Amino acid sequence: NTMSNVTRRDSLKLGATVGILSTGCQRGTGSEEPMSAKPALDPVLSVEKLSFPWHPPDPFLACMHHDDHYPKGDERMAPTVSLSGRDLGQDFSRKDGFSMYHGRTIPGFPQHPHRGFETVTVVRQGLLDHSDSLGAAARFGNGDVQWLTAGGGILHSEMFPLLKSDQENPLELFQIWLNLPARDKMVKPHFTMLWHEKIPRVVHRDSRNRSTTVTVVAGKLGESRAPSPPPNSWASRPESDLAIWTFRMEPGAEFTLPAASAGLNRSLYFFLGTSLRVAGRNVESYHSVALKSDEPVLLQAGPDAVEILMLQGRPIGEPVVQYGPFVMNTRTEIQEAFADYQRTQFGGWPWPGNDPVHARDEGRFARLIDGKLDRPV
């Protein structure tokens, strides 16, 4: 497989020409451990220091972890603090604890295209406003998940309005990029809302009554099964054994990650806490751990609470050629994606601006591509 090494900032730039399409692959930095040094029964395959974005293996493409401490919002739902000193439109600075990203007034990602893959956006804290080229819209967050199949092409915006004027507006989310197999890369766009009220949360207590809470965004844990993904997702195929779970472990808690089927790519992303033991091995914070998928693994939290993301799935096993927001199987298909985008704008942009947000007093909702209104119950 070949994939260009791009950050989310680069993925939304379309100024470069197709002729300078770059390929090449980079996975992690610094602390990867060779597999040959592991005992035969060690379920840990490698440990890597995390960068931005994270680089999960096939069938995933990337994972971006956004954790921004936004201030109070003004009447426009923009930051009340000065934005001087920022490169507005390209602000990934984390100045004062937050970035504006591509937003110039309200933080976020104004309209941009995607083709050939899916985005799974897990908003753990705060709210996100979605608008797209098919007229669909949503406001979701505080545990909700949006699963968007870009398929043959869609434009969408993801804005972070600062709704609260009397207190700060923290935002934390994962955006996970999941590949599509060749036969599904050009399907019609589709998005599904997974409201947090319907997402299973499994609480396990160890022998000392210390809890581990597992949020099952995709896949199943015991008898708890996540809501269905979009119909053309790789995750909708039972043989993919795809799972997206988050773990919150109390200080000192123990939890045994159950074995799955063989031949999967299974990785843990330890992003919050001071220390974690994985199968008896000490792992520092902000590292990923690649695991054998068909063996149970004992997890032990250190002296502070621990939070982990797990991504698991059977590899699609097809060539990957990526240029920014387009992920296809060949260079020719990437060139076609650019040509189609320039010709059709993937249906055009029906909103008055590139960075639309919904009314301040609007609650969580989704107006789907078919026009139906979906609200959490």
Side-chain angles (χ1 to χ4, degrees):
N1 288 1
T2 58
M3 186 175 78
S4 60
N5 182 32
V6 294
T7 66
R8 193 174 187 200
R9 174 191 344 204
D10 298 326
S11 78
L12 302 180
K13 292 180 182 176
L14 288 176
T17 63
V18 180
I20 60 170
L21 172 69
S22 63
T23 59
C25 186
Q26 179 176 331
R27 286 290 187 268
T29 56
S31 58
E32 183 174 1
E33 301 177 12
M35 291 175 58
S36 60
K38 306 294 183 297
L41 298 179
D42 189 348
V44 175
L45 299 176
S46 65
V47 178
E48 299 182 13
K49 187 179 172 82
L50 288 172
S51 57
F52 184 90
W54 303 345
H55 297 290
D58 187 1
F60 301 96
L61 298 162
C63 178
M64 282 64 69
H65 182 213
H66 296 278
D67 188 5
D68 291 281
H69 301 278
Y70 290 115
K72 297 175 183 179
D74 65 15
E75 68 280 356
R76 299 175 300 171
M77 296 177 277
T80 52
V81 300
S82 171
L83 300 180
S84 64
R86 296 176 183 268
D87 182 13
L88 290 179
Q90 298 286 342
D91 175 36
F92 287 70
S93 66
R94 289 194 55 78
K95 184 176 183 291
D96 301 325
F98 70 90
S99 296
M100 291 293 289
Y101 302 108
H102 295 302
R104 294 180 177 274
T105 303
I106 296 172
F109 295 86
Q111 65 111 334
H112 55 277
H114 290 306
R115 172 180 277 187
F117 67 104
E118 300 185 281
T119 59
V120 184
T121 307
V122 183
V123 182
R124 289 157 48 87
Q125 183 179 22
L127 292 166
L128 183 155
D129 280 5
H130 163 94
S131 308
D132 67 41
S133 54
L134 301 178
R139 171 171 288 167
F140 61 98
N142 294 326
D144 300 328
V145 176
Q146 184 199 64
W147 199 312
L148 173 66
T149 305
I154 193 170
L155 296 176
H156 76 152
S157 66
E158 303 156 289
M159 303 307 298
F160 310 147
L162 307 187
L163 301 177
K164 298 174 183 177
S165 59
D166 59 345
Q167 58 183 291
E168 295 183 343
N169 291 270
L171 178 79
E172 186 199 359
L173 65 86
F174 299 116
Q175 187 166 95
I176 301 158
W177 288 17
L178 173 62
N179 201 11
L180 286 167
R183 78 177 200 182
D184 293 325
K185 283 192 174 293
M186 296 297 290
V187 297
K188 290 183 179 179
H190 181 98
F191 86 77
T192 297
M193 286 304 311
L194 311 182
W195 302 115
H196 75 77
E197 292 87 349
K198 299 294 180 69
I199 297 174
R201 288 166 177 80
V202 179
V203 179
H204 171 269
R205 293 195 175 275
D206 62 22
S207 60
R208 295 177 294 174
N209 204 36
R210 295 176 177 174
S211 70
T212 297
T213 301
V214 185
T215 302
V216 185
V217 174
K220 62 175 294 189
L221 174 59
E223 298 302 313
S224 297
R225 182 179 292 275
S228 298
N232 292 109
S233 175
W234 181 242
S236 68
R237 302 189 189 187
E239 67 272 18
S240 74
D241 210 348
L242 193 134
I244 300 173
W245 300 349
T246 61
F247 301 77
R248 179 172 177 82
M249 305 180 71
E250 289 185 343
E254 296 187 354
F255 177 79
T256 298
L257 181 63
S261 55
L264 310 178
N265 284 327
R266 178 185 247 192
S267 298
L268 302 178
Y269 297 87
F270 172 29
F271 63 92
L272 184 66
T274 54
S275 64
L276 172 70
R277 288 178 65 83
V278 180
R281 179 189 304 248
N282 289 321
V283 177
E284 296 179 359
S285 184
Y286 227 67
H287 280 70
S288 66
V289 184
L291 299 171
K292 295 179 182 177
S293 60
D294 55 349
E295 295 183 20
V297 179
L298 177 63
L299 307 178
Q300 298 168 292
D304 301 311
V306 161
E307 298 215 38
I308 306 165
L309 171 70
M310 186 189 81
L311 299 179
Q312 168 189 293
R314 192 170 304 283
I316 294 172
E318 296 176 351
V320 174
V321 180
Q322 175 178 356
Y323 191 80
F326 304 140
V327 182
M328 303 301 290
N329 297 104
T330 69
R331 293 170 65 97
T332 298
E333 290 170 340
I334 292 290
Q335 293 169 337
E336 290 170 352
F338 268 86
D340 290 348
Y341 170 64
Q342 291 167 352
R343 185 179 70 255
T344 70
Q345 296 291 293
F346 295 156
W349 188 246
W351 305 93
N354 290 327
D355 56 352
V357 294
H358 311 310
R360 184 189 293 272
D361 59 357
E362 181 67 77
R364 294 154 57 222
F365 80 98
R367 188 170 65 248
L368 304 178
I369 288 171
D370 61 8
K372 293 180 180 178
L373 187 65
D374 182 20
R375 290 189 184 274
V377 294

